[in-house]
Amino acid sequence: MTDAPAPLTAETQSVEAPNDAPRVKVLLTLVEGSDFDAAVATVSRQVYDPVPDLVIVGKAESVPDGAEVAVTLEEAIAAADQSTDYLWILHSDARPRPDALSALVEEVERADAALGGSKLLVAGSHDVLESIGSATDVFGEPYTGLDEDEIDLQQYDVVREVSFVSSASMLVRRDLAQGLGGLDEKVPPVAAGLDFSQRARLAGGRVISVPSSEVYHQGRCGGKSRKWREQAGRLRAMVTAYSPLTLLWVLPYDFLVALVDSLVSLLFLRWRPGARHLMSWGWNTLNIPSTFGRRRRFKKVRVLGDEELFRFQARGSVRLRVIGSELSNRMLSIFDEDQALAKRSRRIWGSPGIWGAVLAVFILGFSMRSIIFSGLPNVAGSFPFEAGSVALERWFAGWNESGLGSPDAVHPSVGLTGLASILWFGAEGAARTVLTLAFGLLAVVGMGRFAGRLGLRGPGRYLAGLVVIAGPGTAVLAGSGSWTSLAAASVLPWAVRAAFVHESEKDRSHLSRFGWVILIGLTLASLSPVLILVPVVVVLAWKVWGGQGSRLVLALSGLLGTAVALQFFYSDVGWLLEADRRIGLSVDDLWPVLLVVGFLPLVLLEGTARRIGSLGVLLGLAGLLLVRIPGMGPGIEEASLILASFGAAMVVAAGLDRLTGRPKHLMSIVAAGAILFFSIGSLADGRLGLPSGDLSERLGFSVSLAHEHGPGRTLLASTQRSDVPGEARSGPGYWYRVVDGTGMTHDEVWLPSPRDGDEALDEALRLISTGSELRPGEVLAPFAIDWVVLFGPEFRLDEVLVAQFDLVPTPLDPDSRVFENPQAVALADAGADSAWQRSASGFSGDLGSGRVALALNHSDGWSPQPGPVGWQASVSAAEGVASFRGDSYSVAMAWVAVAVALLGLILVIVGRARR
Amino acid sequence: MRWVTLLLALVLAAGTFFVPVLDAPGVETDVGVSPPPIAVCPVEEGSGRNTNLSVLSTVDGPVGLTLFTAGESAGSLASATGASGSLVIPVVDVAAVGTVGGLVEMPNAISAAGSVVQGAASMSAEACASVPEAQAFITGGSTAGEATFELHLMNPYAGEAVVELIVESEAGTESNSRFEAVIVPPRSSTFVDFNDLTPGRESLSVSIETIKGRVNAIGRLGIHGDTGVWRALPGAIDWFIPVPKGSASKELIIATPANTEIDYQVDLFTPSGAEEAFATGRLTERGQHVIDLGEVTEEAIGVRVVSTGPVVPVLRWSSPDIGVAITTGVVVEANRWFLPGASTLEGGWATIIMLNAGIEDSTVSIRPLRENTSVRSFEVSSESVLAIGIEEADGYLVESTNPVVVLWTAQRAGSTSAAIGVPILDG
């Protein structure tokens, strides 16, 4: 295709062409970067008589003999005289076969068409089809109907009417071209072809595709940088061609499609589609005058209605169809690493692991049915998210409202839930449900992908995902209501997987890999900070076992994720080390036996399955043993239990990898099946093992019966630890804690270290418990405790509160004893019958010259003009606002976490861009 | 490597069996119980009657009185016991009320309060009750003839109380829907008038079963124009009651709230010595026996009632000349006693009766609580009784070298009262 230019001579003309054939003028449009001389040569080789005249459109460096020159296509069309019957508009990056023109003329004449387009083949390929004339949707989005890299086997070789033909090679009647004013010079070739084709059709002409006219197209006319121009051109073509009535619905529809395309693309970390839509609409807005000018001119030659265009258009939106297809492919590829589904392979159901994935997802769906239909329970450690902005404010060195409040950091998961709520457009409830369902799916997929990366291909790897969230440790954690443990367990396989590199992925971007390791590490550390060590342990152990593909440097990079929990560790090291704060969960003694029995058959196997089983059994048993070691706080207890489940899942993945009848495999299947069976039993309730109940609803009276100054706090107490939600403090013979009267939220699950106010409350409760205090309401009033709720069997406080003067027993909950405290002060008491209201994580109210007493633990971080009143905080009422900002260390640590997250994000984006 | 792994796995698995499961964090030990220093007193005002509340304590400390009725405070007073450790509060000085309950908040746990009601021709006295029990029993009521019997249920607390009354008379267990789920609203009193519900009954016993909340119950018996007031108490198996001297009818009524037969024995302590098993008997289910002590002697005596199950004995002392007095026994002997309200009344006289049921003689000091008083000491022989006349005071503190039981009684023309003392157990 790089032939030298040749002059147009009689020797090159075909003797077979009839002399009375229509006269054609070739308008060779210069395309930047194309070989002009070669283009002229291919034109000159056309077998057609009479010899077509050649017009060079654009600024050519050299002009062949006998050729005319025109600056613009419009000028070239206008210059054609009546002796010319057809104009062949041809790009200089197109290489027509010698008979291309004659075929075009012949078929256009035969079909009595006004416009004909050649079959375009990709230059330099083995007859890969580029275009055979396209259909479009109503927005002009081309729809070729061709598969990617589809070879031309003459399967489309039939002359037919099409929506439009490419301007790379089109034959148009001269009179029509002049009547339509030629191609739109402001838009790129495809859009120009579309625009011209549409106008030709509405002017009464037929538009056909002529497959016998074959043209190799180098595609230099459609560079990446012009994509947005093509989009803009299509939009302009719509506005030019459609009637006002059609435009009334098609433009808003197009805008919506653009919006959906932009948002979904963002999900796939692609920002360009959004930018293209933005630029397209912007460009058209700027060019409204010229568009309307064209529309006016076209009106004069228009003879048909929009229906004529609709006849050749695909239904719906091609763009939406592509998005949907991509989404479904992505979803399927989650389970189908072999891409069998995506490639529409006939071996779909023979694809390794697909049965396991389907079964695991089915069981998972069954295990989440109650969450899907009724929502998540609000008990124990599972509570609604706070408003996204408030949660992020708290995480970013803000005020921790749990208990009597504290400047100590909130649990790092609060930041994650805040982010999720914001990303879910502020719908915290939906965000929580979706996130939980996603975590369930992540566990199954993550375990499958992790085991797949290590080399397993069987169905066990996905089924093992169920063991991650319902194995020995996570089952008891979920049973105690720990939502974050469930979430952390589901992220753990991904975090470990990120530290492994599969053979087939070695050439992928390192930057992207590091970025993902950091981002997943941040997520894992925000849910269960101690688990961040597990990938390092697994990688080291894998190396000891001689396994391939692990990357210690990746695992160590994941430790950067700890940044998200720095504040939390800094302010509450007891969460790691205080044994008396443990959750106090124990795993059935059956589990160590099950793990060992599950591993025994694997010892007899060879290769990856044995190696994974070995690692799994040791991790699982280590987790079960660690939880029995004294001197460890709830953080380590939680991580150990999750580790036990993760190890058990690895044993299951290895044991169920090969479903054959060989004795060794049969034994491993039975043993692993037993572990799986015992695990999924805990999921039968439909809540992923979380306990049932809705404490928010039970305590809803604290909002509906709140005082004028708004809900304060509710004191909860019981002799049963599980009755008190979240962390609880040990009182004289019972557990207790205070919760926010507006309803307990996720951030309140963890109690910060006790401060002066907490000690004062403890003393108050001790006094009340002796029975010597006849006015317990008065004693509890300074803590803004509006309600006292006693759960479980009757205990000391019941006995005491039955004989007192100022806590009013109120039968609001049939399953607990509720006492109202009419004496309680407002959370933010401005005096003189005035109370401030909550505002984000602070308070606001009337301006004043006095001070506002806050029933919170004092901290100098409050402003303006903070000052302690006993254990309480107080601020000046001068500004009408009370707000809190943590110390500089906490702020710095929050910024470090943000920086690490940004680093991870940038690495992923840059890595993808490079790929 | 595979065998090393297996070995390691076995070691770890063994570890999980040999390392014990950590105990779940537990709650701290329950704190000790310390009942609040309060007393709930019956108050009768109006119709020529006035109530004086007497508060006695070992310290000079604050005293609060709240008269509660219809869910709220009808009046309150804050004062102090002063140097004498005593205070008398005329209710009329606090608020104009009718028959209500009064909540007295005392300086400390070693304190006691009593209520003395005086009318033109009537008089009653009784120690005020402390924190009530869930089950209490009152016997000695009657609606026969001109007798009136009313149960006054007082709930000084913030929560509503609901009680069920099981009423037993000589006709058996009385059935009436108004005995079921009797509601006593918070900071209120509820009155059950047995003359309306069970008229013409010679003997009435009421078991008060608390379903919800807490109530203090007192009985109010009217005979011969006088009124006797006494508390409902939980049943016990060992009781002491000193008996004043006099010629009037002195009935010891022993009744049981239990649904089983109970055997009992009454030991008698006279100035001349003890008579063991002076009377014995078997109470039927929720039954009662009456023993006429007036037939034994007119002297002051004492009785001890022991039983095989829970019983409550009361002493009812009445005649047309002296009216009626009624009081409960106590279940303990003690070395120190408060007698709140014990005092000679204008136009009458008062006596303290001390029962020494022990086998050793005891020296007893009687200290009137008021300004500028002197202590008197007496010897009370073992297993005998001593009655001593007393003078005007806010109340009395009785201290003894050995455990005794103390009661005080007062008489005036046509009316009389008797009230058992309040033992100071941790003194």
Side-chain angles (χ1 to χ4, degrees), chain A residues 337 442 445-454 490-503 505-506 508-524 531-532 534-540 542-543 548-561 646 904 908:
Chain A
E337 282 171 296
L442 276 176
V445 176
M447 199 59 210
R449 299 293 288 266
F450 164 59
R453 187 161 279 190
L454 295 189
S490 63
V491 176
L492 180 60
W494 290 94
V496 180
R497 176 183 180 268
F500 283 76
V501 178
H502 196 264
E503 280 294 316
E505 297 171 337
K506 276 185 175 169
R508 289 199 180 172
S509 164
H510 291 297
L511 291 181
S512 185
R513 206 171 279 149
F514 276 102
W516 279 118
V517 162
I518 291 170
L519 290 178
I520 296 172
L522 282 166
T523 310
L524 182 63
L531 277 184
I532 197 79
V534 173
V536 179
V537 173
V538 172
V539 163
L540 288 173
W542 190 250
K543 282 186 181 298
Q548 302 292 313
S550 62
R551 296 286 185 275
L552 185 59
V553 66
L554 280 176
L556 290 172
S557 306
L559 294 180
L560 280 175
F646 181 63
V908 168

Side-chain angles (χ1 to χ4, degrees), chain A residues 40 48 67 76 320 617 711 745:
Chain A
V40 172
Y48 190 77
L320 286 184
V617 75
T745 45

Side-chain angles (χ1 to χ4, degrees), chain A residues 564-900:
Chain A
V564 78
L566 280 179
Q567 291 181 76
F568 186 61
F569 286 148
Y570 171 69
S571 59
D572 191 8
V573 75
W575 189 75
L576 292 177
L577 302 173
E578 283 179 15
D580 58 356
R581 285 175 62 185
R582 282 183 312 111
I583 315 163
L585 301 173
S586 61
V587 175
D588 197 297
D589 285 340
L590 173 75
W591 278 104
V593 179
L594 267 179
L595 284 178
V596 173
V597 170
F599 172 63
L600 280 176
L602 296 174
V603 176
L604 306 174
L605 298 179
E606 296 297 334
T608 308
R610 175 166 57 80
R611 201 174 289 134
I612 293 174
S614 302
L615 187 53
V617 75
L618 293 185
L619 288 176
L621 289 170
L624 292 177
L625 190 59
L626 262 175
V627 85
R628 294 167 185 241
I629 306 294
M632 297 185 183
I636 296 176
E637 182 188 20
E638 175 189 89
S640 304
L641 289 168
I642 295 172
L643 181 65
S645 289
F646 181 63
M650 289 178 75
V651 173
V652 170
L656 294 180
D657 191 49
R658 301 282 297 275
L659 302 185
T660 71
R662 292 175 61 191
K664 282 190 288 190
H665 289 151
L666 218 51
M667 281 193 292
S668 68
I669 291 166
V670 171
I675 296 176
L676 179 65
F677 178 77
F678 280 106
S679 296
I680 60 176
S682 66
L683 297 176
D685 54 23
R687 296 182 303 273
L688 287 177
L690 291 167
S692 63
D694 191 345
L695 195 63
S696 302
E697 190 181 307
R698 286 177 68 185
L699 301 182
F701 53 79
S702 60
V703 176
S704 54
L705 300 178
H707 303 153
E708 282 177 6
H709 49 69
R713 296 194 179 96
T714 303
L715 173 76
L716 310 177
S718 174
T719 51
Q720 312 285 319
R721 174 66 187 81
S722 57
D723 285 340
V724 182
E727 278 197 282
R729 300 209 195 282
S730 163
Y734 53 88
W735 299 94
Y736 74 92
R737 68 165 296 163
V738 288
V739 298
D740 188 351
T742 55
M744 189 166 168
T745 45
H746 175 76
D747 58 297
E748 290 184 80
V749 169
W750 299 267
L751 283 172
S753 304
R755 300 175 77 80
D756 289 350
D758 301 283
E759 281 163 18
L761 177 61
D762 192 64
E763 278 175 29
L765 286 174
R766 280 170 201 287
L767 174 69
I768 291 168
S769 299
T770 62
S772 62
E773 181 52 60
L774 289 166
R775 293 179 177 80
E778 206 171 281
V779 175
L780 296 176
F783 303 96
I785 292 174
D786 292 341
W787 300 89
V788 176
V789 181
L790 311 181
F791 294 116
E794 293 201 353
F795 61 104
R796 179 73 191 136
L797 276 183
D798 283 281
E799 203 178 312
V800 166
L801 296 187
V802 83
Q804 46 76 33
F805 300 152
D806 61 357
L807 284 180
V808 184
T810 317
L812 292 169
D813 178 28
D815 298 323
S816 61
R817 286 81 67 197
V818 180
F819 298 84
E820 184 182 6
N821 184 10
Q823 324 285 326
V825 302
L827 264 177
D829 187 2
D833 299 331
S834 164
W836 282 16
Q837 304 296 320
R838 292 163 198 267
S839 171
S841 63
F843 300 90
S844 64
D846 297 335
L847 297 174
S849 56
R851 296 190 67 76
V852 180
L854 305 175
L856 313 162
N857 277 308
H858 169 70
S859 167
D860 287 332
W862 282 100
S863 65
Q865 299 171 31
V869 180
W871 60 269
Q872 291 185 321
S874 83
V875 293
S876 164
E879 295 177 14
V881 173
S883 58
F884 177 82
R885 179 71 355 217
D887 59 43
S888 51
Y889 288 114
S890 302
V891 173
M893 283 187 278
W895 275 118
V896 167
V898 172
V900 170

Side-chain angles (χ1 to χ4, degrees), chain B residues 185-249:
Chain B
R187 300 186 192 91
S188 299
S189 294
T190 293
F191 301 92
V192 182
D193 186 346
F194 287 93
N195 291 76
D196 281 350
L197 303 173
T198 55
R201 303 292 193 273
E202 282 289 345
S203 62
L204 280 167
S205 302
V206 184
S207 196
I208 301 138
E209 309 273 342
T210 307
I211 299 167
K212 179 183 171 191
R214 288 284 185 274
V215 293
N216 289 85
I218 60 121
R220 198 169 278 124
L221 180 68
I223 302 177
H224 310 309
D226 193 15
T227 304
V229 173
W230 74 114
R231 285 175 291 158
L233 293 171
I237 57 171
D238 202 355
W239 293 89
F240 300 92
I241 309 181
V243 182
K245 71 176 181 180
S247 59
S249 158

